[in-house]
Amino acid sequence: MLLDLLNAQTLQVADGSNLSWEEAITIAAQPLVDTNIIDPAYVDSIISVVKEKGPYMNIGPQIVLAHARPDSSVHGVGLSLLKTNSAVDFVDAKHPVKLWFVLTATDSQSHLGVIQQLMTLLTDKAAVQKVLEALSVGQILTILQKLDS
């Protein structure tokens, strides 16, 4: 399922050196907007939650799992990833991030399998390091495929 969601259309690699965290989340979510899995309002919701509650979405070194509550701006379960070559400060300099995941769900249950598979990836330190070092979408796909086999 992870490879169904993280694919050539939902993975991106960018420099990141001149991005704000809001821009990084917006860019990371764009493939989900483009495929009508979410409306732009969902991205606004994510940014609002971070401004209100702080950087709690920073789930590990250099990793953000951006999300908001399911609402009418979400049309399906989705996952996208923006990998930035330069770290972008998430809220402040204490939270440098290079992996910007965006997760969407239509309810409180539908995304649990995706989270479980994503955690399999994120708890594999060698795989995470390879993704952090990847310079292209193709390289990230190769890493994910090896993990899936």
Side-chain angles (χ1 to χ4, degrees):
M1 184 173 194
L2 194 60
L3 279 173
D4 293 337
L5 297 175
L6 288 179
N7 55 54
Q9 288 72 45
T10 58
L11 292 170
Q12 302 174 78
V13 176
D15 174 58
S17 60
N18 294 316
L19 293 179
S20 67
W21 66 265
E22 295 96 332
E23 291 168 323
I25 289 173
T26 302
I27 292 167
Q30 192 60 49
L32 302 174
V33 173
D34 291 345
T35 55
N36 201 34
I37 291 176
I38 57 171
D39 297 331
Y42 186 73
V43 181
D44 296 338
S45 295
I46 294 170
I47 291 169
S48 294
V49 168
V50 174
K51 287 181 177 177
E52 180 183 324
K53 298 188 178 187
Y56 78 94
M57 295 178 198
N58 186 186
I59 61 168
Q62 302 190 76
I63 304 167
V64 158
L65 181 58
H67 60 282
R69 289 197 171 277
D71 64 23
S72 61
S73 66
V74 181
H75 310 294
V77 174
L79 184 66
S80 60
L81 169 62
L82 168 66
K83 186 267 176 179
T84 55
N85 295 327
S86 301
V88 177
D89 290 342
F90 184 52
V91 179
D92 59 39
K94 294 178 190 169
H95 304 281
V97 172
K98 288 186 177 180
L99 300 180
W100 299 86
F101 290 92
V102 176
L103 176 68
T104 69
T106 54
D107 57 43
S108 61
Q109 301 292 314
S110 59
H111 63 296
L112 296 179
V114 176
I115 289 178
Q116 187 175 23
Q117 291 182 352
L118 184 58
M119 289 305 116
T120 299
L121 165 64
L122 297 179
T123 55
D124 184 330
K125 290 184 174 162
V128 169
Q129 188 59 41
K130 287 177 185 174
V131 174
L132 285 167
E133 293 168 1
L135 298 175
S136 70
V137 167
Q139 288 176 331
I140 295 171
L141 282 172
T142 299
I143 295 160
L144 295 176
Q145 287 164 348
K146 286 180 182 170
L147 203 66
D148 196 44
S149 56

